[in-house]
């Protein structure tokens, strides 16, 4: 029988006993005997046990050294008792309390704070001098803080507070703004208020409207729009974007929620158009702003009437064209405004002249605009102006079938809008030579010049358009001059509306945030 022990895969012998038996097997294999050499075996067992003890001591010593080494490395790299570094919460002096997306730019914040400490930016704001942020101060400002600074689109904006020589003893908050990349001394001063006054929810905007003539240089031209609100309390903020007007005249509104961070709600706009930042129903919570130069350029206005007659100067059409774009809340840089017809003759302070035009948008939809030329404007104001009385959205199509009838107000010589109706006008489709007026006072007719006619009657409710044979080409219900007389109620104007959005087409006003 073999002296070897059975220790196959299923054997449960392990550890020191297993190693001892392995030594026994090797020894027996080398010294075969007919009977067990018990004295030799006992001596061998003692020797094997001593050898195993020495091996175990060496292994334990190695483990202790390895653990000690790991603890040493951990303490040196990670710190005592931690497996990762502890981030520092200390901020450099002057950086605490700064809000905005540039709040962590230490070099910028420090430079801005140092500059406004040595320059009386409050004096510049009080004087309305927006060309430079302030002259060097004889005495440095005290208690200076950079409360907010951000880059929004092409703008760099900031709000600083402190006590300046212009108002000693009273901390003030002053807004600064300029093109992105400006140094502190290149920023212009904006709004200001006592620092202790609770912040309102009236958004602060910077657009092309803020680019004054003295600031119009290469760095300022072409800036888009930035608007922000800093509130101590949570605000439900919505950005209203320009609507889309499809070729069939369907209006789709676009708005999105503006999420706040540390009480700051901010938006930078790089697309042209009329926007509004709306902060619920609160005081001053509606602020319109335009992310482009708020004016129509001459190339976008066609002053030669499509129905015939003499062309009008651009200066006379600029107001009605701009009002048409505004009513649709479409970018001034899109579309073309075409004069359709204008009543012959010269407008006087006692007699206005009717005219109509059409704005064709890039998508094909059109806005038919009806108005009148008013003469209470002196030469210093550019002479007679055309004012928008009403307008409506139409799908894409040809202009020959366009027709509209409307009433208009008399414009007082002192400016403004009168409640007194001046007359009724009507533009018929191509081929119209006579307009028939129908109202409480009966029926009357007027000859049309280039498809346009006017009457002093203010009772007309419906008109018919006739050709040379007296055949009716169409008819129209008389529209009220909502655009010329519309304004926000005084109570609302002094309340949540920080700006007047002006008259809007009903389809555009519907669904607009803030209404």
């Amino acid at each position: 029988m073999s002296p070897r022990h059975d220790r196959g895969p299923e054997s449960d012998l392990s550890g020191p006993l297993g190693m001892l038996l392995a030594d026994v097997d090797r020894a027996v294999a080398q010294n075969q005997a007919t009977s067990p050499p018990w004295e030799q075996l006992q001596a061998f067992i003692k020797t094997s046990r001593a050898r195993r003890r020495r091996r175990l001591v060496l292994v334990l010593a190695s483990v202790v050294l390895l653990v000690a080494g790991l603890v040493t490395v951990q303490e040196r790299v990670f710190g005592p008792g931690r497996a990762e570094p502890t981030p520092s919460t200390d901020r450099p002096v002057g950086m605490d309390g700064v809000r905005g997306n540039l709040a962590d730019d230490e070099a910028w914040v420090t430079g801005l704070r140092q500059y406004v400490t040595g320059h009386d930016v409050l004096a510049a704001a009080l004087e309305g001098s927006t060309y430079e942020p302030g002259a060097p101060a004889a005495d440095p400002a005290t208690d200076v803080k950079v409360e907010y600074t951000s880059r929004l689109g092409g703008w760099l904006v900031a709000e600083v507070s402190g006590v300046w020589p212009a108002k000693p003893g009273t901390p003030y908050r002053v807004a600064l703004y300029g093109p992105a990349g400006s140094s502190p001394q290149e920023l212009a001063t904006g709004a200001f208020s006592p620092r202790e006054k609770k912040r309102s929810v009236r958004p602060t905007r910077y657009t092309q409207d803020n680019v004054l003539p003295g600031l119009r240089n290469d760095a300022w031209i072409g800036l888009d729009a930035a608007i922000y609100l800093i509130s101590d309390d949570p605000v439900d903020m919505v950005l209203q974007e320009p609507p889309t007007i499809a070729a069939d005249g369907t209006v789709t509104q676009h708005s999105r929620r503006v999420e706040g961070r540390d009480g700051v709600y901010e938006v930078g706009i790089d697309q042209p158009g009329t926007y509004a930042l709306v902060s619920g129903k609160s005081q001053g919570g509606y602020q319109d702003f335009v992310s482009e130069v708020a004016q129509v350029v001459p190339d976008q206005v066609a002053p030669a009437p499509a129905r015939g007659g003499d062309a009008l100067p651009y200066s006379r059409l600029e107001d009605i064209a701009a009002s048409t774009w505004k009513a649709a809340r479409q970018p001034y840089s899109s579309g073309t405004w075409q004069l359709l017809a204008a009543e012959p003759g010269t407008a006087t302070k006692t007699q206005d002249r009717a005219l109509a035009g059409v704005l064709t948008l890039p998508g094909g939809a059109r806005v038919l605009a009806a108005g009148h030329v008013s003469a209470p404007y002196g030469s210093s104001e550019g002479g007679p102006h055309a004012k928008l009385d009403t307008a409506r959205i139409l799908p894409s199509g040809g202009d020959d079938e366009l027709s509209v009838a409307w009433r208009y107000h008399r414009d007082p010589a002192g400016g403004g809008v009168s409640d007194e109706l001046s007359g009724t006008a009507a533009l018929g489709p191509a081929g119209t030579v006579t307009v028939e007026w129908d109202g409480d006072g009966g029926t009357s007719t007027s000859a049309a010049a280039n498809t346009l006619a006017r009457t002093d009657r203010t009772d007309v409710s419906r008109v018919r358009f006739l050709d040379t044979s007296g055949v009716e080409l169409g008819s129209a219900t008389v529209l009220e001059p909502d655009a010329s007389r519309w304004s926000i109620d005084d109570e609302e104007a002094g309340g949540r509306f920080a700006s007047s959005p002006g008259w809007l087409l009903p389809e555009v006003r519907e669904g607009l945030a803030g209404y």
Side-chain angles (χ1 to χ4, degrees), residues 20-101:
L20 177 60
L21 293 176
D23 289 339
V24 171
D25 289 339
R26 285 192 291 272
V28 171
Q30 294 172 2
N31 300 279
Q32 297 290 334
T34 57
S35 62
W38 297 113
E39 293 181 358
Q40 295 180 22
L41 284 175
Q42 289 177 353
F44 178 81
I45 290 172
K46 291 180 180 180
T47 303
S48 177
R49 285 176 178 171
R51 187 186 303 119
R52 298 303 175 189
R53 290 192 190 101
R54 287 195 298 271
R55 290 177 182 175
L56 181 60
V57 169
L58 290 174
V59 170
L60 290 175
S62 300
V63 170
V64 170
L65 290 174
L66 176 61
V67 171
L70 287 174
V71 171
T72 301
V73 171
Q74 176 178 325
E75 289 183 349
R76 290 180 178 178
V77 177
F78 300 113
R82 293 189 59 84
E84 58 184 18
T86 303
S88 174
T89 56
D90 296 333
R91 288 172 62 83
V93 176
M95 297 292 287
D96 287 336
V98 184
R99 295 187 278 189
N101 60 41

Side-chain angles (χ1 to χ4, degrees), residues 97-301:
V98 184
R99 295 187 278 189
N101 60 41
L102 294 179
D104 293 328
D105 189 334
E106 183 180 352
W108 164 251
V109 173
T110 301
L112 178 61
R113 188 180 67 257
Q114 291 175 346
Y115 185 80
V116 300
T117 298
H119 291 75
D120 199 337
V121 295
L122 178 60
L126 290 170
E127 296 170 2
S129 174
T130 60
Y131 302 100
E132 295 181 5
D139 298 313
T142 59
D143 193 21
V144 174
K145 299 177 183 178
V146 177
E147 297 190 4
Y148 164 75
T149 180
S150 279
R151 175 172 179 169
L152 303 176
W155 291 92
L156 181 62
V157 296
E159 285 192 12
V160 297
S161 66
V163 180
W164 285 277
K167 288 284 185 179
T170 304
Y172 266 78
R173 181 181 294 119
V174 180
L176 304 171
Y177 66 100
S182 298
S183 62
Q185 59 266 31
E186 292 173 326
L187 298 179
T189 55
F192 61 93
S193 63
R195 188 170 68 191
E196 302 306 318
K197 182 179 179 181
K198 182 177 174 63
R199 287 184 179 274
S200 71
V201 291
R202 177 175 299 220
T204 300
R205 65 175 176 81
Y206 293 110
T207 70
Q208 280 284 351
D209 292 343
N210 295 86
V211 184
L212 303 179
L215 298 173
R216 288 189 182 276
N217 54 49
D218 291 343
W220 290 77
I221 292 299
L223 287 179
D224 33 49
I227 189 164
Y228 65 90
L229 172 70
I230 304 174
S231 176
D232 297 327
D233 302 315
V235 176
D236 185 17
M237 186 67 66
V238 174
L239 175 68
Q240 178 68 55
E241 301 175 334
T244 299
I245 303 180
D248 63 357
T250 301
V251 178
T252 302
Q253 296 288 359
H254 303 284
S255 62
R256 61 181 174 90
R257 187 170 303 280
V258 178
E259 301 295 339
R261 181 181 179 183
D262 297 330
V264 174
Y265 304 81
E266 54 187 11
V267 177
I269 302 295
D270 59 5
Q271 297 297 317
T274 301
Y275 295 76
L277 197 63
V278 186
S279 53
K281 302 288 186 182
S282 50
Q283 180 80 12
Y286 181 100
Q287 175 70 71
D288 271 312
F289 61 104
V290 180
S291 59
E292 59 183 338
V293 177
Q295 65 183 33
V296 179
V297 298
D299 290 346
Q300 293 176 270
V301 177

Side-chain angles (χ1 to χ4, degrees), residues 486-495 497 509:
W486 184 88
S487 64
I488 296 176
D489 293 339
D490 291 340
E491 182 178 352
E492 288 187 324
F497 283 92
R509 184 167 179 168

